[in-house]
Amino acid sequence: MDKLANVSAQLRAEADASFASATLSEPLFGNSETNGSNAQNSSTSVEGKSSSAVIQPPEKRRKKSTSNQKTHQLPMFLTKTYHMIDRCDTDVATWSENGDNFVVKNVEKFSSVILPQYFKHSNFSSFARQLNFYGFRKLKAEPILTADYDARTASYVRFFHDKFQKDKPELLQHIKRATKSEMQSKDDVESLRLEIQHLHDIIGNIQSESERKISEITFDFNNKINHLNGLYEQLTSLIQQQHQQNQHQQQHQHLHHQQQQQQQQQQQ
């Protein structure tokens, strides 16, 4: 009987141990004493819940939330640039009237005073290059008519991005920095654009020079024509005077010849 009792107790202990290990497959948090005291309650609660309701450890949840914060964190360059334009002296740099782009009115003061407040340099070309990396485009304020040219605003530099707008900082998260291959293609396009612009400038200079030379040639030609017309009028006047003198001489000679004939007739 004692042997049967011992065997029975041993089987019950093994069954209890296997049941506990099956129900407590996920580790519980807290000290060992608390885990021991709550083992029975935990086993009954686990049976009533589905497997999808397993509680994640706090450390994993903290890591996940940290990773989500990182994915929504804005590039520091965009954040600084947005605040810089938003708070800058409007005589130096400001938003456009409708807020869809910003304009740098005084490049020299912007480089020497404003940029060093936000970045570790005062190089406007470097700032413009970084904007280009993020897809910003430089806008030229060229008037349609030359009569509308304004020397005061001719030196303004405008930058545009459809996701960089006044009072809409939530759009900044959609601005992405170009990849290396994209930048290479953009550099190629920019190089071609600059080359075309250079050729356009050369053609414009040639056209201006040609117009200037044609104007000079036309002016000289008109002067020579006027001079020749003057000479022609003088020559015509001299010819007329000479013709009149010849007529007078012929008339005089004719009269003299008639007088001689009359005298000869009288003598005879």
Side-chain angles (χ1 to χ4, degrees):
M1 293 294 293
D2 292 337
K3 290 183 178 181
L4 290 174
N6 291 334
V7 170
S8 175
Q10 185 177 0
L11 291 174
R12 282 199 300 270
E14 290 178 356
D16 292 339
S18 62
F19 177 78
S21 62
T23 56
L24 297 179
S25 57
E26 291 292 333
L28 297 177
F29 300 99
N31 55 34
S32 59
E33 294 179 357
T34 304
N35 291 338
S37 62
N38 294 334
Q40 185 176 357
N41 294 333
S42 299
S43 63
T44 56
S45 62
V46 170
E47 290 176 354
K49 295 181 181 180
S50 62
S51 60
S52 60
V54 178
I55 301 174
Q56 294 182 354
E59 292 182 0
K60 290 184 179 180
R61 283 185 293 175
R62 281 198 297 269
K63 289 181 180 179
K64 188 174 182 180
S65 62
T66 304
S67 63
N68 289 336
Q69 290 178 358
K70 288 183 179 180
T71 56
H72 293 290
Q73 186 176 0
L74 292 174
M76 189 58 64
F77 174 78
L78 293 178
T79 303
K80 288 184 176 182
T81 301
Y82 193 89
H83 284 282
M84 179 173 61
I85 301 302
D86 223 24
R87 302 174 183 179
C88 187
D89 182 1
T90 56
D91 292 333
V92 179
T94 185
W95 295 100
S96 62
E97 293 182 0
N98 53 5
D100 64 344
N101 65 83
F102 69 92
V103 53
V104 179
K105 298 180 178 180
N106 190 330
V107 175
E108 182 178 355
K109 191 171 182 179
F110 182 82
S111 302
S112 60
V113 178
I114 305 301
L115 280 180
Q117 296 178 12
Y118 294 87
F119 303 99
K120 296 179 180 180
H121 66 84
S122 59
N123 191 330
F124 184 77
S125 298
S126 176
F127 173 72
R129 193 179 305 111
Q130 285 294 323
L131 289 175
N132 186 43
F133 288 158
Y134 284 95
F136 284 75
R137 291 189 294 109
K138 187 183 292 186
L139 304 178
K140 288 188 176 181
E142 294 183 353
I144 297 176
L145 300 176
T146 55
D148 297 333
Y149 178 80
D150 188 354
R152 184 180 61 86
T153 61
S155 60
Y156 288 4
V157 182
R158 295 180 181 272
F159 293 97
F160 169 81
H161 194 292
D162 58 347
K163 303 300 182 184
F164 194 88
Q165 300 183 18
K166 182 180 180 181
D167 298 329
K168 295 181 180 179
E170 67 276 6
L171 297 178
L172 294 178
Q173 61 181 329
H174 301 293
I175 301 178
K176 305 299 180 183
R177 198 175 193 275
T179 61
K180 194 171 183 180
S181 59
E182 290 173 342
M183 286 308 304
Q184 182 63 38
S185 62
K186 287 182 68 176
D187 290 342
D188 294 340
V189 172
E190 182 66 14
S191 177
L192 290 174
R193 189 190 68 80
L194 292 176
E195 187 175 352
I196 292 172
Q197 182 64 36
H198 179 64
L199 293 175
H200 179 73
D201 293 340
I202 292 176
I203 293 172
N205 293 333
I206 293 175
Q207 184 176 0
S208 299
E209 185 66 17
S210 300
E211 291 176 354
R212 185 184 65 80
K213 289 185 177 181
I214 290 173
S215 178
E216 290 179 355
I217 292 172
T218 303
F219 180 78
D220 292 340
F221 178 77
N222 290 334
N223 286 339
K224 290 179 179 180
I225 291 295
N226 292 332
H227 180 67
L228 290 174
N229 287 334
L231 293 176
Y232 177 77
E233 290 176 357
Q234 292 178 4
L235 181 61
T236 303
S237 177
L238 291 174
I239 291 173
Q240 289 177 353
Q241 291 176 3
Q242 186 66 34
H243 182 67
Q244 290 175 358
Q245 288 178 0
N246 292 335
Q247 285 181 346
H248 288 307
Q249 288 179 358
Q250 288 177 359
Q251 290 176 358
H252 180 71
Q253 290 177 356
H254 182 68
L255 290 173
H256 181 70
H257 182 67
Q258 287 180 350
Q259 289 176 357
Q260 287 180 348
Q261 288 181 350
Q262 288 176 359
Q263 287 178 0
Q264 290 177 357
Q265 290 177 359
Q266 290 176 359
Q267 289 177 0
Q268 291 178 357

